[in-house]
């Protein structure tokens, strides 16, 4: 349910992501991040082309709205 995550899956150039090793400790609600010099298990987004994302998102939403009106 994260539109940016979905968009970045289809268009990786929307974000700058770096590989890291992340560990979640559920007993203390703590997340630890480490540089991924040896092993990475996730990618963390550090930058977003927000203008481009907003244009893409708006275009897709408007297409759905327009298509739904065409079906009525």
């Amino acid at each position: 349910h994260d539109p940016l995550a979905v968009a970045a899956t289809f268009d990786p150039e929307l974000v700058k992501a770096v590989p890291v090793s992340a560990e979640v400790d559920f007993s203390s609600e703590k997340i630890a991040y480490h540089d991924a010099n040896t092993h990475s298990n996730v990618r963390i987004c550090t930058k977003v082309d927000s203008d481009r994302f907003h244009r893409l998102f708006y275009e897709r939403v408007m297409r759905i709205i327009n298509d739904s009106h065409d079906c009525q």
Side-chain angles (χ1 to χ4, degrees), residues 22-66:
E23 204 174 297
V24 178
D25 180 350
F26 289 102
S27 65
S28 69
E29 298 180 6
K30 181 172 69 172
I31 299 175
Y33 299 104
H34 308 282
D35 286 338
N37 293 332
T38 57
H39 171 71
S40 66
N41 58 354
V42 295
R43 294 175 55 82
I44 302 287
C45 292
T46 58
K47 282 189 157 190
V48 176
D49 186 341
S50 58
D51 290 338
R52 189 166 154 220
F53 167 70
H54 284 118
R55 280 192 310 273
L56 177 68
F57 184 74
Y58 179 77
E59 288 169 6
R60 296 303 187 265
V61 168
M62 291 308 296
R63 183 181 300 163
I64 291 168
I65 289 171
N66 290 332

